[in-house]
Amino acid sequence: MKYYNFDTIYVNGSSLTAGGGLDQPNVKKEYKRLYDIEWDDEKQVTYPKYISDYFECELVHDAVSGAGAPRLIRRTYEYIEKIGIKKAQKTLFLFEITSPVHRVDQYYEVIGDYAITNVRYDDERNLGGLSSIQIHSTTTKDGIKYPYTFFDGKITEETKDYLQKYHNPIAYVEKHKGLMVGLFSFLEKHNIEFFYWFDDDSIKPPYGFYYESLDKKRDLKFETYNSVNQFCGFNNHTIKDEVPGITDDKHPGYFGNKLFSERVIKMLENRLKPRLFAFGDSHTKTFKSHQQAGTVWAKTYFDYIGEVPKTYSEIISRTYDIELFNYGIGGCSNYTIFEQFMNNYKSIKPNDIVVFGWTAINRFKLANNVNSFVDILPNTPHPKQNDDVDLSSTQQIAINRDTHSVWWSEINQFMDVIKSLLPKNKVYHWTWVSPEVVVSNNIWSQESIEAKHTLFLPNWRDTDENTKNLIRSNCDYLVDLKNDVDLNEMKNLAEQGKKLIVVNIEYTTSERQEFVHKNFNIKHYGSFNYKKQCFDRMIPRQEYSLIVDETNGAVPDRHTGKIGHIQLAQQLMDLIEDKKPTLI
């Protein structure tokens, strides 16, 4: 399973990311002599290149020596504007962020573009004044390269004079603290994946509260290492360490970049890899938890097959090596399943996989004597905690729920809420419940009999056969307005208390429609099959192998068995991988 959706990696940062120092001829010559390794472009041996190779992605390596947060922010916006939001959403952004204080992103009219101006704030008296500047060589957006010597002299002196008079480093840093928050908020808003390292946390305040939750998802620092320079420095993998005696350069070395990339790749895998969330009843609850609860049928089943098998969620989790959060609760209702989701949905990341195993519609909730909810399962011994509700009442409610498909509209609404809260996730719905629609054998209430209602049923053509048979057996006259019907006679029969049901009114003339509406005491009958609508939104329906089947009736339990969970897991994995689902 490919667990990420990006095909490009965009990297921005300073010389620590750009391979600073690895471009020097003497350094390259020594690596060749000591280790027999060589390269033409130093960016080809930096940690971003190893990361992009691992994920088999195109690399846009936009880090340059001397750059800091100001250039990073500007260039990232420019890149997204160039490629568009849709392409950006298929790009992974990696940021190595250094403080703006010594790294001014300065626009120069003479070249028609920005150049990096590095500044120092110390003088002979160590009073913190601007002592020197260096304008880096740059290549403009139209491809013209200006070496650092181009800026020597007049441009450098004028820039230094401007910075001394009009540039405040503290104000500059504060400005880019806000701009950094703005960039990250923009990326979050547009569901663009990004991660970062801060060389230090000085650029975060006063927005530390903003990063508190963001860091858990986005910050790639590990152990005590904020970024690549600290990792290489403390582990003797700077250029100076790797080619001793040649240079005092403490930029990350060749091997330091490689080792750092290995750590980052593992972190990215853990952050990007989806997790599996499973919500449902006892068919979702793990067999191991049934065993721990001492469930009688489970123990008998495990003894019969000689093992405690895995459920579908465990099979998927193990196959893909992803973390599982199983919220299955034995004997619960759909209300409890949805409640479990609402209690936990904020912890679900956009790339997580979510599965709902919906249960029987005749289950519902009641309040118990200690003012909390309890799930009611029909056809079971009367729960003692519901002594204030008669067993006959709960059974009547269950029958009502079973025989009116309108109750399934609640599950449709649950699905709508889930979709709106998890718009980016892969969400799958299934159920062990039979798709057959059970209809009540009596559609006439006492109120309708006394009021001499005529039931009005639109969309007769699309009504399922079970409902049609119910209609035919529960009326004295089926008034089909597609036929030549004497409406005056039907009116008289209705006034005499005969049970009339009118169908196909949409196929008759407007005059006859008006006559029906004016002369009959109409009550609409909802023939829409809400259960079918709900099942149409679930994964393709099939009968999963049951425990009773797998034990040849020795264990007369109708929970999904070991083989059934394998079948369901395979079907879900096919869908996750966008394959045609395997059906039995």
Side-chain angles (χ1 to χ4, degrees), residues 282 285-303 330 557 559:
S282 55
K285 182 178 178 180
T286 65
F287 283 124
K288 184 177 180 180
S289 61
H290 281 299
Q291 181 191 44
Q292 293 169 342
T295 308
V296 176
W297 62 260
K299 183 180 185 305
T300 309
Y301 177 51
F302 303 155
D303 289 344
D557 184 85
H559 279 90

Side-chain angles (χ1 to χ4, degrees), residues 24-40:
Q24 299 302 308
N26 63 325
V27 170
K28 295 168 71 173
K29 182 178 179 181
E30 189 67 3
Y31 272 105
K32 172 66 174 174
R33 185 183 73 83
L34 291 176
Y35 308 111
D36 195 28
I37 52 176
E38 57 185 334
W39 56 87
D40 294 324

Side-chain angles (χ1 to χ4, degrees), residues 529-571:
N529 190 340
Y530 294 94
K531 187 174 186 179
K532 181 179 183 302
Q533 180 192 46
C534 189
F535 275 51
D536 286 344
R537 300 176 68 176
M538 297 185 184
I539 66 176
R541 168 71 190 177
Q542 65 171 317
E543 296 290 340
Y544 306 107
S545 177
L546 305 179
I547 289 175
V548 65
D549 303 320
E550 296 176 12
T551 61
N552 296 315
V555 183
D557 184 85
R558 300 192 64 79
H559 279 90
T560 307
K562 173 186 175 181
I563 297 173
H565 279 283
I566 294 173
Q567 294 165 342
L568 175 56
Q570 185 59 59
Q571 185 183 13

Side-chain angles (χ1 to χ4, degrees), residues 481 483-485 487 508-517:
L481 295 183
N483 300 326
D484 186 16
V485 178
L487 291 180
T508 191
T509 64
S510 58
E511 290 80 10
R512 287 165 64 81
Q513 289 179 14
E514 183 178 357
F515 182 91
V516 169
H517 287 296

